[in-house]
C-alpha cells in the first residue's frame, strides 16, 4: 500500500446534478489513489457534502496546481464551498485555559506523546496557575488576565500573539471567559469550546447544578465551534452518561471531567484531520 | 426462600437523626422478612428517601394494622411523606392514545402476555383509529374527540370514566393533547407522559425536527409525570442514542419510536412496582 | 423531489482501480437520480463495498434490462458479488417462534401497523402457545413440534412450506431450536437469529445466568445471520446496557427482552431495506 | 454539615437474620453520623454486602477501639468478611507500565493535580521509555526489564521494592507482562489491570484485531483485579462504544485508548475510596 503525503478536499454545496460526478471524475481521471472518500447528501435540505483524501504522489496534477485545476474544472461550475489541505501541514493550535486541569492535561498528554500531528506554540490563560504545567510540557505560557475594563486591549494582545504564532485553531479547554464577537470573527469555525452539558440542555454557567435541579437521568458534554451566540455554535461532538439520584453535584462534576476531556479531544481530532464540514450552524463529521 | 404477598413502603422526609433507624427498627423488631431495602440520602439537599419491601406473612403486625402502627411508631414522629402498597393490589391503568401506534402496541403486548401485573380496564382516544386494535386486545375503547370548544366537557367525561373504573395511573402513550391543569390536579404524580426528546432539550412540538435543525449528536426520549408546566414534570426515565448527519428527520422519527416505547415502559414498570419517589419536581427511582 | 420505485444495488469485491468509478459512471451517464449512495473501502482488507439506490423512472436503462447492462458494463469486469433489488418487491418473511413473546409481538406490531413493507405469510412454531396470537394478527400458524427423532422430517416439512410461500427471509424470534446445517444451506444469509448476549461473549444457552456468574458490568443482545457454527454467524446489529450488582438474573432477563426485540427489529429493518452486505463472516451495514 | 475524617466499613457475608440490623445498631447506638450507607442483598445468591461511612468525630467509640468493638459486637457473631478503613490514610499506589502512554499520563495527571488522595511513591517498568515522564511528574522510576530467564528474580526485586514502599495497590497501566501466580498471591484483590476488550469477549493479546475479525458492533475495555487466570479476575468497571465497518483496526486502537484510560481510572477511584467488595470472583461496586 502507498503511504506519504495526502491531499484532503472538504467541499459542500447545494446538491446539483453532476457535482459528485465531476469531483469523482477529477480524482479518477487524474490517477488519484484514494485513501478515503466520504460523501453525504442531506435528504431534508438537499445539501451535498464531500471529503476526499488521496495521495499527492502519483496524482497527475502537481501539488502546487491542484487548487487551480480544481477551481477551473469543478469549483467555479458550482457555488461550491471548499478547502484543500495537505497532511504534511501541521495545524498550529493555541490552547486557552483557566483553572480546570482535566482538558488541559489531556491535550498536553496527547501532544507530548505525538498522538496528534500538530504544533502547540503557545498557551494563553487568564490565570497563572498552570504556568508550571506549561513549563513541564515545554510550551510557552502567556498570562493575560481579563477584567471587564481591560477586555478589549487584552483580546487585542491575544490576537496579536495568535497572528505572530500563525495559529490555525484555538482550543478553549474550559477557558472561563466569554470571547467578544469581534475576537470570534477573526477565527470563524476555528475556535473549539467544550461545554459541560449535553447542549442545547443547560447552556450558560453551572450546568451540573442545573442538571441536578432538573433531575435528568443523563448528563453529558458538548464540543462546538464558538459563535457569537453563547453555547449555540455548530456542535462537533457530544457524549452522555446515565446518572441517577445517586450522583451528587460533586460526583457529576467529577464524572463530567472525563466526558468533557474525551469529547473535546475527539472534536480536536476531527478538526485537525480535516473531517469537519460546517453548514447552517451544524456540522457534518466524516468519521 | 419465602414468596407471597409483600408490603412496600415508600417514604421520604428531611433527613433527621433516627428516621432511618426507626424504620429499620420497625421492620426488624417485628420480624419483617425483607425482600429488598433501598435507602438514599441526597448529600446536596439532605433529604432522606427509603423503599422497603417485606413479606406480609410472618410479620408480627397484621396486614390491616400496619398503617396504624407505622403512623404511630414512625410517621408522626417526623414530617414523613409515605405510602404503603401491597403487591397483591393490581394497579388499574388507563391508556390515553392518539394516532401513534408504537407505545400503544408495546404496552398492550406486555399487558396481553402478563408481563405486567396490572389491569387496563379502558383506553381513551381522541381518534377512533385504534378502536380495532383495542378490540383485538379486549380492552374497552372510548372515543372522546377533543376540540378547543368541547375540551372542558370532554375532560369531565374522561374524569367520570376514570373514577368509575377506579383508575390509579394514566398513561399518555403519545396522546397528542395537552391536559388541562384542572384535570392534572386529580392525578398528581399519577399521569405518565412520554416526550420524544431528551428533556430539557426540545420541549414542545416537533422535537425531532428541532434536533435536526440544532445538529445534535444525540437524541432521546423522556418519560415524566405530568404537571401543569408542559414537558417540565419530574423525569422518571430517559434514554438516548447517538446520531450523526446520516440520520434524516424521518430516520430520527423511526429510531425514536423504539426509544420512546422502551423509555415509557420502563417508567411504567418502575411506577407499578412502587419504585418511584417524587420530591421537588424530581424522582428517586430505586431500580 | 422525485418519489416512486427505486433500484438498490448491493455490491462488493476486492478493491480494484476503477471499480468505484465504473459504478458511478454507470449510474450518472444513464441519468440515475440517486436517492442514496454509500460506499466503503476497508483499509485493513482492501475490500470494496457499495450500496446505491436510485429511481427507476428517468433512468436511461429500462428496468428489465438493468441487470443485463450492469453485468456487461461492470459486473463481468471485476469478480463482483452483487445483487439488484427493487423497492417495489415486498420481502416475504417467515417467523419462527417458540415460547418467548417479546420479539414475536414486536415484529407483529410493526407488521400490523405497516411500519415494515413486507409480507409475513406464515409463522412456524415448535409449540402451539402462540396460535391464538397469530390468529389475532391474521397470520397462518403452523405448529411443527421438533424432537431429536423427527427433526429431519419436520425440517423437510418446514422447507416445503417455505418454498410454497416463496419465503425470502426467515426470522428466528427466540426460536429455541438449532437448525440443521442442511436447513441453513437453503437460506445463506437469509436467516436472522437473535441471541441474548453481546456476542462473542456468552454464546450458547443461558447467557444471562453466565453474565451474572461472570459479574460483567454490561449485558446485551446480538442479531446475526445463522451459519452452521452456533452463535458465530455474521453480526448485523448489537446493543448493550450497563448493569451492576443490583440486577438479579430475573431483572437481566426482563431488561434483556427489550434489548433483544429492538436489536432484532433493527437487523430486520436493515435486511429488508437491502442495507446489509456480508463478507468474510462479517457485515457492512449501510445505515 | 460535619466534615473531617471518616471511617469506612466494607463487609459481606451470607445473608443472615440480624446482620444488617446489628450493623445499623452498632452505628446508630454509638452516635455514628453517617455520610453514606449502601447495602445490598443478592437475591440469587442470598449474599449480603454493606458499605458504611461515618464521621470519626462524635462517634461514641474512640477511633482506636472501633475494630475491637466491631469484632466483638458484630464480626464474631457472623462469618463476616470485613475491613475498616479511614479516609485519612492515603493509599500507596505503585504504577506498572510498559510502552503505552495513555493510561500512564491519565493517572499521573490526576495524581499531579491532587484529584486522587493517594501517594504514588514509585513507577516500575520493563522498559526505560517513560523514565523522562516519571521525572517530569517527580515519581521515582525503576527500570526492571523482564525476560523468560530472569522473571523470577526480577519479580523478587519488584516485591522487595513494593514492600519497602509499603504499597497497598498495584496498577497495571497497560503493563505488557503477565505476573506470576506467586507474585499475585502477595496482593490479592490489590492489583488492578486494564484489558482492552469488553471481557469475557476477546481475552489475551490483540483484542482489537480479534474484534475487527469477528465483526462486532461494540468494542470496550475492562478493569479487573488480577488473578492467576489471565483476564478472568473480578471485573470492577467496563465501558463500551458502538463501532461499525467504518472503524479500521487503527481507529479502534485510537478510540480504545480513551475508553481504557477512563475505565481504569474509574476502577482506581472506586478502589481507593473503598467502594469495592469482592466475592466469588465478582465485585459489588457501591457508587
Amino acid at each position: 500500500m502507498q503511504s506519504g503525503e495526502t491531499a484532503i478536499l472538504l467541499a459542500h454545496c447545494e446538491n446539483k446534478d453532476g457535482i459528485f460526478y465531476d469531483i469523482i471524475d477529477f480524482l479518477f481521471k487524474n490517477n488519484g489513489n484514494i485513501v478515503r472518500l466520504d460523501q453525504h447528501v442531506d435528504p431534508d435540505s438537499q445539501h451535498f457534502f464531500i471529503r476526499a483524501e488521496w495521495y499527492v504522489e502519483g496524482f497527475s496534477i502537481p501539488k502546487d496546481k491542484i487548487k487551480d485545476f480544481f477551481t477551473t474544472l469543478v469549483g467555479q461550475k458550482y457555488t461550491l464551498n471548499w478547502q484543500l489541505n495537505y497532511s504534511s501541514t501541521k495545524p498550529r493550535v493555541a490552547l486557552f485555559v483557566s483553572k480546570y486541569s482535566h482538558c488541559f492535561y489531556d491535550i498536553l498528554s496527547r501532544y507530548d506523546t505525538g498522538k496528534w500531528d500538530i504544533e502547540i506554540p503557545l498557551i494563553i490563560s487568564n490565570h497563572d496557575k498552570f504556568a508550571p504545567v506549561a513549563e513541564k510540557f515545554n510550551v510557552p505560557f502567556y498570562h493575560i488576565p481579563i477584567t471587564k475594563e481591560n477586555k478589549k486591549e487584552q483580546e487585542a494582545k491575544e490576537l496579536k500573539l495568535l497572528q505572530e504564532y500563525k495559529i490555525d485553531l484555538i482550543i478553549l479547554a474550559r477557558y472561563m471567559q466569554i470571547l467578544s464577537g469581534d475576537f470570534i470573527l477573526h477565527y470563524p469555525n476555528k475556535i473549539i469550546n467544550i461545554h459541560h452539558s449535553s447542549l442545547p440542555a443547560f447552556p450558560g454557567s453551572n450546568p451540573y447544578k442545573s442538571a441536578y435541579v432538573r433531575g435528568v437521568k443523563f448528563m453529558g458534554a458538548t464540543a462546538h465551534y464558538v459563535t457569537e451566540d453563547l453555547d449555540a455554535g455548530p456542535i462537533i461532538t457530544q457524549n452522555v452518561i446515565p446518572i441517577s439520584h445517586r450522583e451528587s453535584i460533586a460526583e457529576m462534576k467529577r464524572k463530567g471531567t472525563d466526558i468533557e476531556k474525551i469529547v473535546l479531544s475527539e472534536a480536536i481530532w476531527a478538526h485537525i484531520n480535516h473531517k469537519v464540514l460546517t453548514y447552517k450552524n451544524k456540522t457534518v463529521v466524516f468519521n
Side-chain angles (χ1 to χ4, degrees), chain A:
Chain A
M1 263 205 301
Q2 194 175 343
S3 68
E5 189 182 9
T6 59
I8 302 146
L9 172 74
L10 282 175
H12 70 93
C13 67
E14 194 188 336
N15 192 28
K16 286 269 177 64
D17 279 3
I19 172 62
F20 179 55
Y21 188 69
D22 278 358
I23 292 176
I24 295 303
D25 207 62
F26 176 82
L27 294 172
F28 281 85
K29 286 286 171 59
N30 297 301
N31 296 316
N33 185 357
I34 288 181
V35 179
R36 182 139 192 172
L37 178 70
D38 294 286
Q39 131 284 352
H40 175 65
V41 177
D42 184 306
D44 295 298
S45 68
Q46 284 300 309
H47 204 78
F48 166 78
F49 303 86
I50 192 166
R51 181 188 187 274
E53 180 171 5
W54 69 98
Y55 291 108
V56 169
E57 203 186 310
F59 196 52
S60 309
I61 306 169
K63 184 180 164 182
D64 59 351
K65 292 190 174 162
I66 298 179
K67 279 198 180 176
D68 278 2
F69 273 60
F70 188 78
T71 304
T72 306
L73 298 173
V74 184
Q76 65 182 18
K77 290 173 63 180
Y78 307 87
T79 51
L80 194 67
N81 288 279
W82 63 281
Q83 49 171 291
L84 195 67
N85 292 286
Y86 295 95
S87 65
S88 55
T89 311
K90 285 194 184 193
R92 296 176 64 78
V93 178
L95 219 51
F96 279 52
V97 72
S98 203
K99 283 173 154 181
Y100 289 101
S101 63
H102 48 288
C103 294
F104 184 52
Y105 272 84
D106 194 56
I107 291 167
L108 290 177
S109 297
R110 292 168 202 260
Y111 179 53
D112 198 45
T113 54
K115 296 282 169 66
W116 287 347
D117 201 18
I118 62 172
E119 292 294 336
I120 302 184
L122 85 161
I123 292 162
I124 287 174
S125 181
N126 54 332
H127 295 281
D128 59 3
K129 182 182 175 188
F130 288 139
V133 183
E135 197 179 2
K136 197 182 277 191
F137 286 95
N138 296 313
V139 183
F141 182 91
Y142 293 84
H143 177 209
I144 305 180
I146 308 263
T147 63
K148 267 186 194 167
E149 290 71 31
N150 72 5
K151 183 163 183 170
K152 199 162 180 171
E153 47 191 311
Q154 295 296 69
E155 283 199 343
K157 204 183 290 178
E158 290 170 352
L159 284 167
K160 197 153 162 279
L161 278 170
L162 297 171
Q163 260 182 314
E164 276 172 27
Y165 281 105
K166 292 175 180 159
I167 291 305
D168 302 307
L169 176 67
I170 297 167
I171 304 299
L172 308 185
R174 295 297 307 275
Y175 180 66
M176 308 301 285
Q177 295 292 318
I178 296 173
L179 303 174
S180 74
D182 234 38
F183 185 104
I184 294 166
L185 279 177
H186 286 82
Y187 291 94
N189 293 332
K190 293 188 170 177
I191 308 173
I192 298 178
N193 182 48
I194 179 73
H195 182 74
H196 40 317
S197 83
S198 183
L199 291 173
F202 313 122
S205 61
N206 249 333
Y208 292 129
K209 176 79 185 299
S210 304
Y212 165 83
V213 169
R214 182 62 187 92
V216 288
K217 306 299 187 187
F218 276 85
M219 57 171 271
T222 305
H224 62 93
Y225 289 120
V226 174
T227 59
E228 282 204 59
D229 294 327
L230 187 66
D231 299 331
I235 293 170
I236 309 166
T237 49
Q238 295 191 296
N239 206 358
V240 294
I241 54 164
I243 53 169
S244 76
H245 59 271
R246 283 181 205 96
E247 268 76 23
S248 62
I249 300 175
E251 181 70 356
M252 290 170 71
K253 282 181 183 166
R254 189 187 71 78
K255 289 191 173 177
T257 59
D258 285 340
I259 315 175
E260 290 166 35
K261 74 187 188 189
I262 304 302
V263 164
L264 177 55
S265 284
E266 278 296 303
I268 298 171
W269 173 260
H271 183 98
I272 62 178
N273 286 284
H274 314 294
K275 291 170 178 287
V276 188
L277 285 155
T278 307
Y279 171 66
K280 274 198 175 176
N281 206 44
K282 298 166 58 173
T283 64
V284 165
V285 182
F286 285 123
N287 57 351

